[in-house]
Amino acid sequence: MIWTAFMMGLIGNFHCAGMCGPLAIAVPLDRSSWLKRLAGSLTYNLGRTLTYAIMGAIFGLLGQGFAMAGFQRWLSILMGVLMIAIVIFPSLFKNPFDSDRGLFRLVGGVKAKLRKLFSIRSYKSLFSIGLLNGLLPCGLVYFAIVGAIATGSVTNGMMYMAAFGLGTLPIMLAIPILGTMISAKLRTIFTKSIPIVMIFIGGLFILRGLDLGIPFVSPPDKVLHVETAKKYMEEKKMGMHPSTEKKDCCHKAID
């Protein structure tokens, strides 16, 4: 399912242009040459993608807890339903926090730090701006986090969010270099397509949890279960015939 994260990021490119475009245009690049602009933009986006990967690992760990408890199928279905519900009933998921508390206080701190970094022109500053930018509230990132939880694995969650970050790379790499050359009409077209993509990805997560036996889309439950997967790999390393089925007989240990 990692490819769905990349697709989400790719389709969301123009949403990123609208939401993060002004910030990306303002990053303190060395504009003395195109090569230096490109290097600076890459550094900025590397920091942003690294933050996404760390977030993916954290939320993947949460999903792994459910998976190890045997709820991988239901977790995938629940996250898929949640993705679709957020698109269809957005008013139910509006942020309930006051602007001077909780999440908004954290965001205020991030923005204050960003303002200081924007006055420094260096690769270290660009990397730090990218790291902090990844923490700013973004609906598209929230969708990706839901997907990272549904992967049920720290590694897969990290890869999922990293793939999402790489999907957003084309536009976020171009904006600091090209500025506002992308038309508003094109941005609008892609932004309107985002809800359709989110529903599609949510549907894929639901199918993944339904145990329909469809390769890559809805694999059998035994493949999704973390403990079964570990047993499969252990048997393979020992040279035994990998099997995920329980045996009715037992064998005495041979000294």
Side-chain angles (χ1 to χ4, degrees):
M1 299 295 286
I2 304 298
W3 65 271
T4 63
F6 182 78
M7 183 175 70
M8 187 191 305
L10 198 61
I11 297 297
N13 261 272
F14 290 90
H15 168 82
C16 296
M19 298 298 294
C20 298
L23 186 148
I25 291 172
V27 292
L29 298 179
D30 183 344
R31 302 180 185 275
S32 59
S33 72
W34 283 101
L35 184 60
K36 288 181 179 180
R37 285 189 186 191
L38 178 60
S41 188
L42 280 170
T43 302
Y44 159 69
N45 282 287
L46 177 62
R48 189 173 56 86
T49 302
L50 179 58
T51 294
Y52 291 154
I54 293 171
M55 292 168 64
I58 293 170
F59 286 99
L61 178 63
L62 175 63
Q64 183 169 302
F66 287 103
M68 293 185 72
F71 298 121
Q72 175 71 7
R73 284 182 58 202
W74 299 111
L75 177 66
S76 187
I77 293 171
L78 177 62
M79 293 299 101
V81 169
L82 181 60
M83 276 189 176
I84 295 172
I86 291 173
V87 173
I88 297 176
F89 308 108
S91 61
L92 298 178
F93 297 91
K94 287 183 178 178
N95 201 312
F97 300 108
D98 294 333
S99 59
D100 60 343
R101 296 189 301 167
L103 177 64
F104 284 93
R105 182 178 295 176
L106 174 63
V107 172
V110 170
K111 288 182 177 179
K113 182 64 176 176
L114 279 171
R115 280 193 290 270
K116 293 180 181 179
L117 289 169
F118 269 82
S119 64
I120 305 169
R121 182 173 293 178
S122 69
Y123 288 112
K124 182 179 178 181
S125 174
L126 288 169
F127 184 73
S128 299
I129 290 171
L131 287 173
L132 292 173
N133 185 29
L135 296 174
L136 293 176
C138 173
L140 202 60
V141 173
Y142 298 155
F143 275 113
I145 286 173
V146 170
I149 295 172
T151 64
S153 162
V154 173
T155 303
N156 287 341
M158 181 172 63
M159 291 174 61
Y160 192 92
M161 288 296 288
F164 166 75
L166 290 175
T168 65
L169 192 59
I171 196 71
M172 294 303 291
L173 187 63
I175 286 175
I177 299 173
L178 301 177
T180 56
M181 293 173 65
I182 302 166
S183 71
K185 184 177 180 181
L186 192 58
R187 290 201 301 268
T188 301
I189 291 171
F190 274 84
T191 299
K192 287 183 177 180
S193 70
I194 290 174
I196 299 171
V197 174
M198 295 304 105
I199 290 174
F200 173 72
I201 293 175
L204 286 178
F205 276 110
I206 293 172
L207 286 173
R208 184 171 180 260
L210 289 177
D211 190 17
L212 300 178
I214 304 172
F216 306 110
V217 176
S218 184
D221 181 49
K222 62 185 179 182
V223 176
L224 293 178
H225 197 281
V226 172
E227 292 302 313
T228 302
K230 286 181 178 178
K231 181 180 176 183
Y232 179 94
M233 293 306 296
E234 287 172 2
E235 289 180 348
K236 193 172 182 180
K237 286 180 181 178
M238 293 172 62
M240 299 169 60
H241 180 68
S243 173
T244 55
E245 296 180 357
K246 294 182 178 180
K247 305 292 189 298
D248 293 326
C249 61
C250 59
H251 301 277
K252 294 182 178 179
I254 300 176
D255 296 329

